[in-house]
Amino acid sequence: MAKDGIGAAVLRKEDRRFLTGAGTYTDDLTRPRQTFAHFVRSPHAHARIGAIRADAARAAPGVLAVLTGADLAADRTGNIPTGWLIHSKDGSPMAEPPHPALAQERVRHVGDPVAMIVAETKDQAREAAALLEVDYEELPAVATLAQAMAPGAPLVWEQAKGNVCFDFQLGDAAATDAAFAKAFKVVSLDLVNNRLVPNAIEPRAAIGEYDRATGDFTLWTTSQNPHLTRLLLGAFTFGVPEHKLRVVAPDVGGGFGSKIPHYAEEMLVLWAARKIGRPVRWTALRSESFMSDAHGRDHLTHAELAVDRDGTFLGLRVRTAANMGAYLSTFAPAIPTYLHATLLAGCYRTPAIHAEVKAIFTNTVPVDAYRGAGRPEAAFVVERLADLAARELGVDRVEIRRRNFIDRFPYQTPVALQYDAGNYFATLDTALDRSRWQTFEERRAEARTRGKLRGIGISTYVEACGIAPSALVGALGARAGLYESAGVRVHPTGSVTVFTGTHSHGQGHETTFAQIVADQLGIPVDSVEVVHGDTSRIPFGMGTYGSRSLAVGGSALVKATEKIVAKARKIAAHLLEASEGDVELRDGRFVVAGTDRAKTFGEVALAAYVPHKYPAGLEPGLEETAFYDPKNFTFPAGCHVCEVEIDPDTGQVQVVAFTVVDDVGNVVNPMIVDGQIHGGVTQGIGQALLEGCLYDDAGQLLSGSLLAYTMPRASDLPSYDVGTHVTACTHNPLGAKGVGEVGAIGAPAAVIGAVVDALADLGVRHVDMPATPERVWRIIRDAQAKS
Ligand code: MCN
């Protein structure tokens, strides 16, 4: 094994450029003769668009074009598709209303783009926007799920009666009813999974360019999946053949799911570039991001767990309403259905499960993937019910989990997934140990002497990632397969360029993917360069989300590198005048077994390009491509333990300790894995305690800036204690599972469990997220008033 190969905590190669300010983000690029776009966005949640008077804006200094939905309609272009179709069990078709890139006739959420102004400078574009007059006739709006589902609620779309986009069911309703009928007890809970705004550090940006001579388009964009963007743009939104469209996602400063969807602005900068014959660029303001980046979560759930006298889980019934926002974003329909409902078994042997999901339109920003996408919501439901069942039965919270853990693999859940491997007892035991669970009451008593309420929470979760087997997602309605590709080019000097269809925007693929190749070829990590994010350089790829890059993209890379080794071995055997079967690759050298005759990898690489050095009949060169389509998802699991202290006078919750023991299979880079867990847990704590996107009843975005939307800061967080336990994934060559989302999936239930535990003596059985000081203070005050 190379010393910086798989398993080594190699420092991130990409950090040299990021830490020295040498990264190249979309907004850093300058294109010759570039122009600037500004979007005029709806101030109303729902309104009919009347006259648009653009003469003054058109005449403003520097303005090159003012474009509206009518121009798009005249060009018969610009409808943004969703990437998923949901086939409802009862056969009712999913409503897929049009999503014009610039609103036509109606605006349906605050921030819906109405017009695009292109000018010589950013300021000129913005100043001209103030001169554009748009007549709106306001219409009644629905902003929350409760409003949208109320009888007689105003409709976001005429074709979606009751604002229902689709109904979805999973599991066995009759078996679940039967389980409930024989239950000793049923515990039930109404849960809110709060709406979140992703807030990647780099706002979205796009530059469109058109070459009149060749008819070629280039889009630079902040995308997590440039090939998918090209596919959707080419096949649906803009109708440009793929060979005429290059999509480049250069350095991207975080995405967390919000840069998966294909967005209107990406199409519009290309369209405008062709119209005016010059490059058109746009970068979102932070306040613009709040009303135009896809939001996350936003579920209302009623959940019931049927249990036996000893705490054995018998059945689970879950009814979820999921907010889709005003339009269907790219992955939106898949999130509350295939990513959420399929994980409701959690780590437990619950024999009967039935889930019903209603996807609902509202006059809000579209909702799509946000770190965890559907899986944090599922873990939250299951873990809150496990806590509550323990409490209502008088069983210990740890014990009830242990009693119900899945203990044999593979395990077929009642909700479609088959878990291949795991050891939930091991992660639980290690986490209990590390968190000093047994001695918690001492810490609680000590906190009491300081006037603080201390609580401890636990969450044992499993998730499905490494998205996904194409056969499965294809059958489930995905418009494209979800395999991954990798190319490996060995240069004559023995250095290597890797081409991957995944996209790294903080995850460190330039390092970990180089480690994989270094490991397989026995060469230094610095001899391997990883290229990603450019459709003109990488044959194909499905991008990065669903913690899939290592399990799927890394596995494609293993396959491609194995092909390289196979060919290189032939060449080495020829050079060494040995039989191929006797030659093996060891520590970067091809060695004839049992002898000291050897050729270095570099010597063999050179021979691949020199006639007569490679065997007759073999093609020259050393370059291979592979596609990998996994057999199954991967199933990371783990245990999170959180301790909080609450100030009863202010309601302020402080996380004072957080222990994580995750099982993400074999690990390529433990330092990067720890970093991913830290980031995910931080976002999970953010959801549990701080973050909440709020609309008022008229659909105005109340938390539309960082002044009103609280992101976690260092002072909100403890130092995390992170441990790992490994059970290898059984079906990919790396034995690896995903890590990118585990923190955000496991953490919220542990935090809320701790908050509820701290307040348990007051009779509190649940606290909705985010557990802000105000909410907690009110709960304490009301509980005290009752007692
Ligand atoms: N890794 C490893 N060993 C494992 C698993 C992963 O060494 N057993 C490494 C991988 O090689 C990769 C990193 O950990 O370098 C994350 O791998 P993986 O779990 O495959 O996740 P992806 O690379 O596909 O990243 C997607 C995931 C998601 S879905 C979100 S959301 C998210 C996340 O990653 N967004 C992020 N982490 C993020 N981190 C940053 N900094 N910024 C984001 O936007």
Side-chain angles (χ1 to χ4, degrees):
M1 183 194 108
K3 73 173 176 4
D4 43 11
I6 292 175
V10 178
L11 290 182
R12 298 198 334 167
K13 282 158 65 101
E14 46 271 75
D15 282 351
R16 278 173 221 146
R17 68 176 190 281
F18 294 149
L19 296 176
T20 57
T24 306
Y25 299 86
T26 300
D27 195 56
D28 292 324
L29 298 167
T30 303
R31 305 306 303 161
R33 302 177 63 241
Q34 65 186 9
T35 65
F36 294 82
H38 177 84
F39 292 97
V40 176
R41 297 181 183 276
S42 168
H44 303 293
H46 197 189
R48 199 166 280 123
I49 303 173
I52 299 182
R53 286 176 292 280
D55 289 350
R58 282 202 180 96
V63 170
L64 300 162
V66 177
L67 301 165
T68 66
D71 298 304
L72 268 186
D75 283 1
R76 294 170 188 278
T77 190
N79 186 47
I80 301 164
T82 179
W84 288 78
L85 299 171
I86 303 296
H87 312 296
S88 299
K89 212 171 173 184
D90 61 9
S92 67
M94 169 176 133
E96 194 188 359
H99 183 183
L102 289 171
Q104 289 163 14
E105 294 171 21
R106 279 193 198 190
V107 285
R108 287 187 164 82
H109 67 87
V110 168
D112 210 353
V114 175
M116 176 185 195
I117 299 185
V118 185
E120 296 287 352
T121 71
K122 211 186 284 184
D123 287 345
Q124 286 172 332
R126 234 176 260 165
E127 279 157 20
L131 302 173
L132 192 81
E133 288 175 30
V134 184
D135 291 341
Y136 294 104
E137 181 198 332
E138 269 193 80
L139 298 168
V142 286
T144 62
L145 284 165
Q147 275 181 304
M149 292 189 295
L155 294 182
V156 181
W157 294 99
E158 292 299 331
Q159 57 269 56
K161 299 295 171 220
N163 289 313
V164 177
C165 171
F166 61 82
D167 287 312
F168 170 89
Q169 293 189 42
L170 189 67
D172 188 331
T176 307
D177 289 347
F180 273 75
K182 66 172 191 212
F184 170 71
K185 192 171 191 53
V186 172
V187 287
S188 65
L189 203 53
D190 288 301
L191 296 159
V192 177
N193 211 287
N194 39 330
R195 180 183 272 243
L196 302 176
V197 181
N199 278 306
I201 202 160
E202 181 203 12
R204 283 193 302 116
I207 304 176
E209 201 166 349
Y210 176 65
D211 183 335
R212 206 179 311 200
T214 60
D216 290 344
F217 289 90
T218 304
L219 173 70
W220 281 269
T221 180
T222 46
S223 172
Q224 299 179 210
N225 31 238
H227 286 87
L228 192 57
T229 300
R230 184 181 67 166
L231 181 67
L232 293 173
L233 260 171
F236 298 97
T237 319
F238 198 29
V240 181
E242 280 176 284
H243 68 289
K244 289 292 182 191
L245 175 58
R246 174 183 173 204
V247 178
V248 189
D251 285 332
V252 174
F256 308 110
S258 69
K259 291 170 182 167
I260 302 171
H262 163 41
Y263 286 99
E265 295 87 354
E266 293 174 321
M267 179 267 162
L268 293 169
V269 291
L270 290 171
W271 176 61
R274 181 172 60 188
K275 277 197 176 301
I276 67 169
R278 292 171 62 182
V280 176
R281 60 184 303 153
W282 164 79
T283 301
L285 300 169
R286 180 63 62 183
S287 52
E288 200 175 8
S289 302
F290 269 89
M291 57 174 138
S292 64
D293 290 6
H295 293 174
R297 317 276 195 262
D298 207 345
H299 287 187
L300 281 184
T301 294
H302 178 73
E304 298 170 287
L305 180 67
V307 286
D308 217 342
R309 189 184 300 269
D310 67 352
T312 303
F313 299 168
L314 303 174
L316 173 66
R317 203 184 268 140
V318 177
R319 306 279 176 266
T320 291
N323 199 335
M324 297 282 106
Y327 303 97
L328 285 178
S329 184
T330 311
F331 271 27
I335 292 169
T337 50
Y338 306 127
L339 294 177
H340 170 68
T342 52
L343 265 172
L344 288 168
C347 299
Y348 310 112
R349 294 185 314 267
T350 315
I353 301 178
H354 184 243
E356 265 180 28
V357 176
K358 266 193 197 326
I360 304 291
F361 286 118
T362 59
N363 293 110
T364 62
V365 173
V367 177
D368 205 306
Y370 174 63
R371 203 170 198 165
R375 290 152 289 162
E377 296 92 316
F380 193 67
V381 170
V382 175
E383 291 305 290
R384 289 301 305 128
L385 284 176
D387 270 9
L388 209 60
R391 178 160 154 176
E392 295 192 7
L393 289 169
V395 178
D396 179 70
R397 277 179 289 170
V398 172
E399 189 47 37
I400 204 165
R401 288 174 164 83
R402 232 189 257 287
R403 241 171 243 179
N404 288 286
F405 271 166
I406 293 162
D407 52 2
R408 273 195 213 141
F409 295 90
Y411 178 80
Q412 178 61 54
T413 73
V415 273
L417 297 179
Q418 191 184 76
Y419 304 162
D420 66 327
N423 184 345
Y424 308 146
F425 297 95
T427 45
L428 172 72
D429 288 337
T430 314
L432 293 177
D433 232 33
R434 292 179 81 124
S435 64
R436 300 180 298 134
W437 179 274
Q438 297 302 346
T439 57
F440 172 72
E441 288 306 328
E442 292 166 20
R443 299 192 289 285
R444 195 197 303 265
E446 186 280 326
R448 216 173 273 136
T449 64
R450 291 182 280 111
K452 295 283 168 62
L453 302 172
R454 192 160 173 136
I456 193 164
I458 188 165
S459 132
T460 48
Y461 76 93
V462 61
E463 67 130 329
C465 66
I467 291 174
S470 295
L472 186 57
V473 295
L476 294 177
R479 278 182 160 148
L482 288 174
Y483 39 77
E484 197 44 82
S485 79
V488 177
R489 179 177 300 159
V490 181
H491 304 286
T493 54
S495 64
V496 173
T497 303
V498 166
F499 302 90
T500 171
T502 66
H503 186 276
S504 187
H505 37 277
Q507 295 89 346
H509 299 171
E510 291 173 37
T511 307
T512 46
F513 282 26
Q515 285 180 260
I516 293 172
V517 175
D519 197 84
Q520 282 184 276
L521 299 181
I523 60 176
V525 115
D526 281 337
S527 299
V528 186
E529 193 199 26
V530 177
V531 176
H532 61 99
D534 184 344
T535 60
S536 73
R537 295 190 71 191
I538 293 127
F540 197 64
M542 297 308 296
T544 285
Y545 40 80
S547 305
R548 68 188 300 272
S549 300
L550 181 64
V552 189
S555 296
L557 185 53
V558 169
K559 265 182 84 177
T561 312
E562 280 171 356
K563 290 188 187 175
I564 293 281
V565 173
K567 184 171 178 187
R569 183 183 288 117
K570 285 191 199 324
I571 298 167
H574 180 70
L575 291 174
L576 291 161
E577 295 177 346
S579 110
E580 202 188 316
D582 291 338
V583 175
E584 57 189 45
L585 176 59
R586 217 188 296 146
D587 296 332
R589 286 154 38 107
F590 285 95
V591 182
V592 181
T595 74
D596 58 359
R597 286 192 296 135
K599 290 284 175 195
T600 63
F601 181 75
E603 287 173 310
V604 175
L606 185 61
Y609 291 90
V610 179
H612 310 302
K613 296 258 181 173
Y614 51 84
L618 202 70
E619 282 178 15
L622 201 48
E623 177 163 352
E624 299 287 353
T625 299
F627 279 71
Y628 180 78
D629 197 347
K631 290 199 184 71
N632 196 351
F633 296 90
T634 73
F635 298 98
C639 178
H640 292 196
V641 177
C642 174
E643 280 186 43
V644 300
E645 280 191 1
I646 300 177
D647 182 335
D649 295 331
T650 62
Q652 179 77 40
V653 180
Q654 184 71 38
V655 179
V656 288
F658 203 101
T659 306
V660 181
V661 179
D662 282 328
D663 175 356
V664 299
N666 293 333
V667 165
V668 172
N669 186 320
M671 183 200 64
I672 287 179
V673 160
D674 276 7
Q676 287 294 310
I677 292 171
H678 284 210
V681 168
T682 300
Q683 285 175 304
I685 292 175
Q687 166 160 30
L689 296 181
L690 305 162
E691 299 182 49
C693 175
L694 293 179
Y695 282 90
D696 72 10
D697 286 349
Q700 285 299 325
L701 182 57
L702 298 177
S703 48
S705 80
L706 289 172
L707 279 177
Y709 185 92
T710 316
M711 301 286 292
R713 292 145 302 183
S715 59
D716 297 312
L717 307 168
S719 200
Y720 302 135
D721 177 31
V722 178
T724 46
H725 173 87
V726 175
T727 54
C729 169
T730 59
H731 56 80
N732 69 44
L734 290 160
K737 310 174 193 176
V739 72
E741 294 156 292
V742 292
I745 294 167
V751 179
I752 292 300
V755 172
V756 173
D757 182 52
L759 304 176
D761 286 349
L762 295 167
V764 175
R765 70 195 285 274
H766 180 65
V767 175
D768 276 331
M769 301 187 290
T772 56
E774 183 195 347
R775 176 167 288 159
V776 173
W777 179 83
R778 283 182 193 282
I779 288 171
I780 294 172
R781 189 198 54 179
D782 293 351
Q784 283 166 344
K786 270 191 220 149
S787 63

